[in-house]
Amino acid sequence: MSLSSVSNAAHGGDLPRLGVAMIGHAFMGRAHGNAWRQANHFFDLPYAIVPAVVVGRHAQRAAEAAAKLGFQHATTDLDAVLADPSIHVVDVATPNDSHFAIAMAALKAKKHVLCEKPLAMSLQQAKAMAAQAKKSKVRVGLWHNYRRAPATALAARMIRRGDLGDVRQVRAVYLQDWLADGSVPASWRTDRKLCGSGAHGDLNAHLVDLTRALTGLEFDAVCGVQQTFTKERPDGAGGKAKVDVDDAFCFLAKFKGGAIGTYEATRVAPGRKNHNCIEISGAKGSLRWNLERMNELEFFSFADGRDTQGFRTVMVMDGVHPYAANWWPDGHIVGYEHTFVHHVVDFVRALHDGSPFAPDFDDGVAVQAVLDAALASAKSGKWVKVPK
């Protein structure tokens, strides 16, 4: 059965169809697939999203994923998908080493592309992807979904309107513990050829993007240090696999304009499951957000009376807050999965009206430049300028 023959009559009444092909179907595929299914149900969109096809390396597993994730079809033939005029968006939800080849093929086929982070394995690859997107005149985006929690979107709004004054310092950590136990098996995330780096590219990439999204600051120079605590892990076949990526990576940052920052990413911090936390200090106040309490934004302002000053917690889940009005009554929380839905919503609207969408591949280039500079610094032991 050809992709173009698959019925999409169940999706969206008289709205024009937006056919989506998702490449990959594991952890991120589940998150992305849910977002494509839910967006039309909770937001008024100019297109009816059609989750059309899942593309995988193994036919049976791809078919099982398509059925489970609500896609109409599955295939192992990426070329056929890219040749299908009913597919408008390609969602790249695969391991890092395949982003470049898949995204470049989709861009050359004039498909819009949403790609998992980090964008590429190197700054050179990232630049080529951004250049091809412009050449093909298609829309592209990067799945840095933490920009689109209601609380982080509010934080960005507050900083833009001057609630904190000039930003002076950023303190950001992303702490997990799933590799703290040395008996945890090796995977593609512990193999440099497949992932590029460990906690650095996996977690610091989010912190770098979130910093840029919230503050508008650009990185000028970085100084990094990294460590691999477990050098070998079980390979799943009774042997051992070498671990050649970082378990933990920390770096200092200087920003253009004079602000400074500290960054820490680790996957070996016992007790920390998904502690993605950023604190931003300005001349007039500070704010702090932690993914593990994602509906809360802590805020301090010198504008408060001296006898009532202190950090206060804003519960970002009312109709006046970004995205929240489309979900539940005031005070009812949203979760991790909703950030992906918001990402889809904004991307689909941008496709329709030509409005800006961020992060795009240029943002991916900017993040990759910081990651690569920090890796070079950790190797040399010196401060490294971030390329423009």
Side-chain angles (χ1 to χ4, degrees), residues 230-262:
T230 303
K231 310 296 185 182
E232 292 184 334
R233 291 185 176 275
D235 64 3
K240 291 286 187 178
K242 181 181 177 181
V243 176
D244 57 1
V245 298
D246 56 280
D247 284 325
F249 197 111
C250 305
F251 69 92
L252 303 175
K254 298 176 184 178
F255 296 99
K256 295 175 182 178
I260 59 175
T262 61

Side-chain angles (χ1 to χ4, degrees), residues 11 25 27 43 74 84-85 113 150 197 200 209 219 222 269 279 342 350 355 382:
H11 296 271
H25 49 76
F27 169 34
F43 291 80
D84 188 341
V113 176
S197 65
H200 185 51
D209 180 76
F219 289 76
V222 293
E279 182 171 324
H342 303 157
S355 59
K382 300 177 181 179

Side-chain angles (χ1 to χ4, degrees), residues 92-116:
V92 183
T94 59
N96 303 351
D97 67 316
S98 60
H99 291 180
F100 178 76
I102 295 171
M104 289 294 279
L107 293 171
K108 290 175 181 178
K110 301 298 180 70
K111 306 297 185 183
H112 307 297
V113 176
L114 274 174
C115 186
E116 251 306 319

Side-chain angles (χ1 to χ4, degrees), residues 117-168:
K117 62 82 207 166
L119 179 59
M121 295 284 280
S122 68
L123 182 57
Q124 181 181 8
Q125 283 188 349
K127 286 182 175 179
M129 294 163 79
Q132 185 62 52
K134 294 180 178 67
K135 182 178 180 180
S136 295
K137 297 181 180 180
V138 294
R139 301 302 300 270
V140 292
L142 194 58
W143 281 98
H144 279 298
N145 54 297
Y146 297 133
R147 286 181 177 225
R148 288 180 164 83
T152 55
L154 175 62
R157 178 193 299 174
M158 293 169 66
I159 293 171
R160 284 195 303 269
R161 72 188 183 198
D163 292 10
L164 270 61
D166 292 336
V167 173
R168 294 172 170 172

Side-chain angles (χ1 to χ4, degrees), residues 187-197 242-245:
S187 71
W188 71 267
R189 293 184 182 275
T190 59
D191 185 339
R192 181 179 297 169
K193 290 182 180 179
L194 302 180
C195 64
S197 65
K242 181 181 177 181
V243 176
D244 57 1
V245 298

